[in-house]
Amino acid sequence: MQAIKKRFGIIGVGGYIAPRHLRAIYENGGELVGALDKHDCVGVLDRYFPNAEFFTNEAEFVEYMRANPLDFLSICTPNFLHCAHITLALQNGASAICEKPLVLESKELSVLEKLESSAQKLDSSFSLHKPRVYGILQLRLHQQIQTLKAQVEDELIHNPKHIYKLTLRYISARGKWYHKSWKGNMQKSGGIICNIGVHLFDMLAFVFGDFIGNELTHYEANRASGVAYFAHAQVEWLLSICANDLAHSSYNQALRILEEDPRARPSARPALHIDFSQGFEDLHTASYTGILQGEGFTLSAQKQAITIIESITKQALS
């Protein structure tokens, strides 16, 4: 007997990240039935779901969604709209799959926890897919990060008090358009710490344990740096969207490197050098696979990342 396809909707289908979500839905055997974007240049739908209904008016999309219930609503909208669109999904009986950062403030997580609980009580199904909120934390699924986590856990068994001394550089060049878009608007994106750094700080907590604190050393709209402390790591970090920071490297567009101070490694092994500049192509598909199997990153998994970016951003604004 052929399995019934899960029904998806998507908001923000005209955006940069939406094609990865469309591909993830397609490769996991889902069916996209409805899409929304205020812009109408959405030819990417033809690549995966040419028969999906398309709307430029949110009220019309919501009306369609209520008449044609969804299992999941994928959210690829600007960061400041995430909470409202997750709420929309839950209020209409659908699980939300939302891009990073899930929300801009931890208080919004508390609101969503209550809404999720209410939505699950109203749902009469007994499947794995009662309405829930899932976030995309794809670095946790990156093969090099998973290998690093396993290595760190093994080393900490033998030396549980060890503190790794690390340097993290994340440089992803952006053009002049960035600062004129919503991404360059602090109120809409959360700024560089939130929009660029959320995955990185989540990854560090995932591998090295609970966040303890941060010392901010520099902050401007396109570049920030500091020292973050975790249960088992001290990390000197740099986030940048400046092309000049790539000028003396062999990287053209993006550099993502985590390096260990060789003087502080826990044994005779070589110092850690993790280059995760590549390998992102399939991580949204893997994220959706986990969600469909009931193993996605739920609200509780998002808390530490949101707490970290909120804490560092407050330092930047103070």
Side-chain angles (χ1 to χ4, degrees):
M1 182 176 177
Q2 190 174 11
I4 298 174
K5 289 187 174 184
K6 294 297 180 183
R7 293 166 56 84
F8 285 80
I10 187 169
I11 303 182
V13 71
Y16 164 78
I17 203 65
R20 293 192 187 182
H21 287 259
L22 294 174
R23 178 186 167 199
I25 295 167
Y26 180 83
E27 293 186 349
N28 278 287
E31 179 185 8
L32 185 77
V33 298
L36 169 68
D37 200 289
K38 67 178 183 179
H39 302 292
D40 59 10
C41 188
V42 292
V44 66
L45 285 170
D46 291 338
R47 193 184 313 167
Y48 299 104
F49 300 103
N51 294 320
E53 299 292 340
F54 174 66
F55 303 87
T56 57
N57 181 282
E58 184 168 323
E60 292 177 0
F61 176 76
V62 172
E63 183 179 349
Y64 172 81
M65 185 169 63
R66 289 172 178 166
N68 301 271
L70 304 175
D71 295 300
F72 295 92
L73 180 62
S74 298
I75 298 165
C76 305
T77 50
N79 302 348
F80 75 106
L81 296 174
H82 287 177
C83 188
H85 288 148
I86 293 169
T87 299
L88 178 66
L90 294 174
Q91 289 177 339
N92 287 278
S95 288
I97 302 176
C98 187
E99 256 304 325
K100 60 81 180 172
L102 193 74
V103 291
L104 294 179
E105 298 179 324
S106 55
K107 65 182 181 182
E108 292 178 310
L109 286 177
S110 299
V111 172
L112 293 178
E113 285 176 338
K114 293 176 182 177
L115 288 171
E116 183 186 66
S117 177
S118 297
Q120 290 184 354
K121 290 175 182 177
L122 290 172
D123 189 275
S124 59
S125 70
F126 293 92
S127 69
L128 286 172
H129 302 296
K130 284 179 174 289
R132 300 203 72 175
V133 180
Y134 298 99
I136 301 294
L137 298 174
Q138 72 261 37
L139 272 181
R140 295 192 187 194
L141 303 177
H142 196 291
Q143 185 57 58
Q144 286 180 280
I145 301 305
Q146 291 189 333
T147 300
L148 172 63
K149 181 175 174 62
Q151 179 179 338
V152 168
E153 288 177 345
D154 182 64
E155 290 180 345
L156 289 176
I157 289 173
H158 303 287
N159 188 0
K161 294 185 179 180
H162 180 72
I163 303 296
Y164 290 82
K165 302 294 177 64
L166 305 162
T167 300
L168 173 66
R169 289 177 291 156
Y170 182 17
I171 305 167
S172 189
R174 299 289 191 271
K176 292 181 179 180
W177 66 269
Y178 185 92
H179 295 292
K180 294 186 178 180
S181 74
W182 65 266
K183 294 186 178 185
N185 183 317
M186 186 75 172
Q187 283 67 46
K188 293 183 177 181
S189 72
I192 191 171
I193 301 297
C194 185
N195 196 52
I196 300 294
V198 61
H199 282 317
L200 299 168
F201 292 115
D202 174 75
M203 176 270 289
L204 291 170
F206 176 64
V207 175
F208 298 104
D210 290 342
F211 176 69
I212 296 172
N214 178 78
E215 296 173 5
L216 192 68
T217 56
H218 177 81
Y219 183 85
E220 55 185 315
N222 56 5
R223 204 170 190 273
S225 60
V227 181
Y229 300 90
F230 297 84
H232 295 288
Q234 175 183 311
V235 185
E236 186 176 335
W237 57 268
L238 167 68
L239 302 178
S240 174
I241 58 172
C242 298
N244 288 342
D245 286 329
L246 292 171
H248 301 292
S249 76
S250 59
Y251 295 81
N252 295 322
Q253 192 66 30
L255 175 153
R256 303 175 182 91
I257 291 178
L258 181 67
E259 294 179 294
E260 182 180 25
D261 184 340
R263 298 166 297 181
R265 64 184 187 273
S267 67
R269 63 157 173 76
L272 297 172
H273 179 91
I274 312 299
D275 184 343
F276 54 103
S277 301
Q278 305 296 325
F280 285 77
E281 296 78 9
D282 300 320
L283 297 183
H284 277 74
T285 296
S287 297
Y288 272 67
T289 300
I291 289 167
L292 290 168
Q293 293 174 350
E295 300 172 354
F297 299 119
T298 58
L299 281 172
S300 60
Q302 311 289 323
K303 287 184 177 181
Q304 180 128 243
I306 301 303
T307 298
I308 294 171
I309 61 173
E310 188 176 40
S311 171
I312 298 176
T313 299
K314 284 181 178 179
Q315 289 182 21
L317 297 176
S318 63

